[in-house]
Amino acid sequence: MKPSKFWAWAAFALGAAYFLVPLLATFEFSLRMRRGYYSFDSYASVFSDPAFQATFLYSSLIGVLAIVLGVLVVVPAVYFVRLRLPRLRPLMEFVTLLPLVIPAIVLVYGYIRLYNSSSLIPFTGSALGTDILLTCAYVTLALPYMYRAVDTGMRAIDVRTLTEAARILGASTATIIARIILPNILVAVLSGAFLTFAIVIGEFTIASLLNRPAFGPYLQNIGANRAYEPSALAIISFLVTWGAMGMIQLLARFAPRTSVRTD
Amino acid sequence: MSDDFLRVDRLTKAYGANIVVRGVGFAFARGEFISLLGPSGCGKTTILRMIAGFETPSSGTIHVDGRDITGLRPDQRRLGMVFQAYALFPNLTVGDNIGFGLKVAGVGREERRARVEEMLRLIGLPGFERRYPYELSGGQQQRVALARAIAPRPRLLLLDEPLSALDAKIRVALREQIRAIQRDLGITTVFVTHDQEEALSISDRIVVMNAGNIEQTGTPHDIYNRPATRFVAAFVGQLNHIETVVADPAARTVTIDGQPATLPALPEGAAAGTPVTFTLRPEMLSIGPRPGNDVTLAGTVADVSFLGSVIRMRVSLGRNVVSLDTFNDRRAAPPARGEPVTVSLSSRDLLAL
């Protein structure tokens, strides 16, 4: 083996160990619920807990709603900025980065001040209102990822020419976005969607402070009160996130193929 | 045939202080194939995009079939357009691409299918309905783009440099096919190109543009043989510039590098001893005498390029070096460099610009 390769593998092994050792330790610990030998009892305990099912379902539903709302907001915004207002792109880049800079706790306190039950728009006055607020908060939280995914997707296709080609054939703007633009950036949109889902499933701060029965606060609650189940939940959360990431990798294979040829 | 199917009046387009089209006007009859020809940045594509509705004119009007379409949106104009970069929808099959305009217009499935089949036969790609654009060659994709543009039976077909992205051989074949289909359907077509050979070979009429203005409008034969301006003469085809000195204005004689020639006419006011520049196409010159050629000049071969069917030579007459084209003759080798030759031309072919 050449020395350069040896050091490359050594660096890789060190990096991998940094991530894998705690994960393996957590996994090993999650199997120790029964004294004396390994079992999946902690996993059985988690899966049979009605609160687990309810909170996971709730977060999944909010995640799907956040994805739909995110796509409806981001895709037309990126499309019009690319097509008609390219000068606004730097501003758009900056605005979509803000959720990474502003801590979630600041965001949620802002929401509570602005939309509390005695305000003009009392979103937090009802469970449904708070759910809507939570969905909007997650759209904001996932904005940096959704925006970049969609923007990358649109960069890969010639948005202007495809729009003009469809336009002169008689298509309206809604038809162009729905039938031409969206299908051609679907893989990019889906990767943004899975990132959004991964964020929503594990999010604690906003859900907890808005007092909603989400999966993040449930994780925290179990972590504070049980011994082995939190480890099992940590592994389950990892698997969900990895599943979402794996789907992104899988979908990348179906990205639209370029058809630029001169022959 | 009246010249008013497509009428453009005093069309101007400015981006701030930058005026790219300057009060352009032309009118063409139904069924004509028109080329907008000019160098990059001359405004030809901007005119096409204003006709399509993708750019709003700063002033002026566009009429199609007697109706003012200047204020209409592109989707209201009922025009077809083929783009340089094909612009096929990558997510749709060939059949769905061609049927897109019909579907948007609400044409029923059966009628749409029949029209798609008809279009595929027309472009010579029957049975390609289910293929995707990435499965086709560039030439095939551009033929599909043409079929997609003409499937909804547009009033006018706009071609924005549709051959530029293709290899040379495919380009020639496709341009012949485009012309044949255009003749078959009788569809009025506006073709934008910077390639003068393309424009000359395919058009009924050519609009030569430069710096936002029209230099000349005419048939390919007129544009080539009777260029109205120095720009047209230089841009369309090869051109020799021959510097002469007026010898005797009354006798209409000049000298070309000291060799005398009598011309049918001299520019007005040309006094003895003044220099006058004439232009001449390379194919108007011949090696040795030719019937009808009344000017004979002695020179030496400066360079010979063998281009296949044509041999292009550069002959030095002294200060003047002229290019001339002769057909390849397998029985006679072309003259060698440095060889003395006699060049003849008809004085009527000399144009003073």
Side-chain angles (χ1 to χ4, degrees):
Chain A
M1 191 189 284
K2 288 180 189 172
S4 61
K5 276 215 166 165
F6 171 78
W7 288 113
W9 278 109
F12 175 74
L14 196 70
Y18 185 81
F19 287 104
L20 288 177
V21 169
L23 203 62
L24 286 172
T26 307
F27 179 61
E28 196 266 348
F29 186 72
S30 73
L31 301 176
R32 282 201 196 180
M33 195 172 182
R34 198 172 291 188
R35 296 270 157 144
Y37 53 93
Y38 289 142
S39 73
F40 282 97
D41 283 6
S42 59
Y43 292 87
S45 165
V46 164
F47 283 124
S48 61
D49 184 357
F52 168 82
Q53 293 160 15
T55 55
F56 193 81
L57 207 67
Y58 176 83
S59 281
S60 300
L61 181 67
I62 295 289
V64 169
L65 291 176
I67 288 165
V68 172
L69 189 62
V71 169
L72 288 178
V73 169
V74 173
V75 172
V78 176
Y79 174 71
F80 283 115
V81 166
R82 271 198 165 266
L83 207 62
R84 306 218 179 124
L85 302 161
R87 268 181 291 175
L88 283 187
R89 272 195 75 196
L91 181 70
M92 189 105 162
E93 295 259 350
F94 175 73
V95 169
T96 56
L97 277 178
L98 286 179
L100 290 181
V101 184
I102 299 169
I105 189 97
V106 175
L107 192 73
V108 72
Y109 271 121
Y111 281 155
I112 290 168
R113 280 193 77 87
L114 213 69
Y115 303 116
N116 64 49
S117 50
S118 55
S119 73
L120 283 175
I121 319 164
F123 269 127
T124 58
S126 66
L128 179 67
T130 317
D131 288 342
I132 293 171
L133 197 59
L134 185 65
T135 307
C136 293
Y138 286 156
V139 170
T140 309
L141 217 56
L143 197 60
Y145 309 101
M146 186 57 101
Y147 169 77
R148 263 147 204 85
V150 171
D151 194 50
T152 307
M154 286 214 195
R155 204 175 299 161
I157 58 171
D158 187 349
V159 173
R160 179 174 295 276
T161 313
L162 289 180
T163 299
E164 288 179 351
R167 173 74 77 204
I168 203 153
L169 288 165
S172 65
T173 303
T175 306
I176 294 169
I177 292 180
R179 299 242 285 259
I180 304 299
I181 303 299
L182 200 55
N184 280 304
I185 59 163
L186 196 59
V187 171
V189 168
L190 285 174
S191 62
F194 283 116
L195 280 170
T196 305
F197 192 78
I199 291 166
V200 171
I201 282 296
E203 204 284 329
F204 167 76
T205 317
I206 298 175
S208 173
L209 285 164
L210 288 178
N211 196 25
R212 298 310 300 145
F215 192 57
Y218 169 76
L219 284 179
Q220 189 277 335
N221 186 37
I222 294 291
N225 298 306
R226 305 274 184 88
Y228 299 98
E229 283 87 343
S231 302
L233 277 169
I235 296 297
I236 293 167
S237 295
F238 261 109
L239 289 178
V240 170
T241 311
W242 283 350
M245 300 297 149
M247 287 301 286
I248 296 172
Q249 294 296 322
L250 193 70
L251 284 167
R253 295 182 187 189
F254 298 101
R257 295 185 215 189
T258 175
S259 56
V260 177
R261 287 168 68 168
T262 62
D263 55 340
Chain B
M1 197 158 61
S2 68
D3 264 2
D4 60 0
F5 183 76
L6 168 64
R7 188 154 55 79
V8 166
D9 286 317
R10 295 187 302 279
L11 203 62
T12 297
K13 178 69 185 176
Y15 298 98
N18 182 24
I19 303 171
V20 290
V21 176
R22 299 164 185 271
V24 162
F26 50 74
F28 292 103
R30 190 190 295 270
E32 271 197 282
F33 195 113
I34 307 127
S35 288
L36 301 182
L37 172 68
S40 297
C42 71
K44 57 190 188 301
T45 299
T46 309
I47 292 178
L48 192 81
R49 290 177 61 79
M50 284 193 278
I51 296 173
F54 298 136
E55 302 283 350
T56 312
S58 304
S59 64
T61 56
I62 302 160
H63 286 77
V64 174
D65 205 7
R67 190 175 167 210
D68 187 349
I69 62 160
T70 320
L72 295 183
R73 295 196 314 260
D75 52 309
Q76 297 170 322
R77 296 191 179 201
R78 288 184 43 226
L79 309 179
M81 186 157 172
V82 178
F83 298 81
Q84 185 179 340
Y86 321 141
L88 292 180
F89 308 130
N91 57 312
L92 300 183
T93 60
V94 165
D96 288 343
N97 262 287
I98 296 174
F100 185 84
L102 301 168
K103 192 171 181 179
V104 169
V107 174
R109 184 188 294 264
E110 273 311 302
E111 194 182 336
R112 217 163 61 217
R113 199 182 53 77
R115 181 73 175 155
V116 167
E117 269 181 25
E118 184 190 340
M119 288 294 105
L120 283 170
R121 275 197 306 276
L122 186 72
I123 58 168
L125 295 174
F128 274 58
E129 293 92 322
R130 290 176 190 281
R131 299 216 191 166
Y132 279 89
Y134 70 85
E135 296 175 294
L136 307 183
S137 71
Q140 288 171 332
Q141 286 185 56
Q142 201 56 303
R143 278 144 77 190
V144 173
L146 178 68
R148 181 181 65 178
I150 56 183
R153 298 186 173 85
R155 296 184 294 183
L156 197 64
L157 178 64
L158 308 174
L159 308 173
D160 184 10
E161 307 218 22
L163 308 171
S164 307
L166 297 167
D167 292 345
K169 268 199 168 172
I170 307 288
R171 203 182 305 166
V172 173
L174 187 54
R175 105 181 160 207
E176 284 165 4
Q177 193 175 16
I178 287 176
R179 181 57 161 146
I181 289 172
Q182 186 269 338
R183 277 208 178 103
D184 270 4
L185 302 178
I187 183 169
T188 316
T189 302
V190 182
F191 176 70
V192 162
T193 182
H194 61 266
D195 184 327
Q196 40 106 3
E197 186 197 320
E198 236 166 60
L200 290 171
S201 66
I202 204 171
S203 319
D204 289 316
R205 280 199 278 177
I206 298 174
V207 178
V208 185
M209 294 198 57
N210 182 33
N213 295 303
I214 292 181
E215 293 273 338
Q216 187 176 1
T217 303
T219 63
H221 190 266
D222 270 349
I223 297 279
Y224 188 81
N225 292 302
R226 282 185 282 280
T229 65
R230 184 179 279 266
F231 174 83
V232 176
F235 187 75
V236 181
Q238 295 278 325
L239 203 64
N240 287 307
H241 293 267
I242 301 175
E243 289 172 16
T244 69
V245 177
V246 178
D248 180 357
R252 303 185 309 277
T253 55
V254 296
T255 56
I256 302 169
D257 290 319
Q259 305 181 64
T262 304
L263 307 184
L266 288 176
E268 269 184 42
T274 54
V276 178
T277 304
F278 289 92
T279 61
L280 188 71
R281 298 283 183 203
E283 66 275 18
M284 303 295 179
L285 286 157
S286 32
I287 297 285
R290 191 208 282 177
N293 283 2
D294 53 352
V295 177
T296 308
L297 303 164
T300 49
V301 176
D303 200 8
V304 181
S305 305
F306 184 68
L307 307 175
S309 60
V310 169
I311 296 164
R312 174 154 296 173
M313 271 175 265
R314 289 174 61 73
V315 175
S316 169
L317 305 172
R319 284 200 315 126
N320 286 301
V321 180
V322 293
S323 288
L324 67 90
D325 292 346
T326 59
F327 280 115
N328 173 40
D329 181 354
R330 59 184 294 196
R331 289 159 299 187
R337 281 181 63 191
E339 195 176 308
V341 286
T342 307
V343 170
S344 72
L345 60 101
S346 165
S347 58
R348 286 191 306 277
D349 294 332
L350 288 168
L351 286 174
L353 287 172

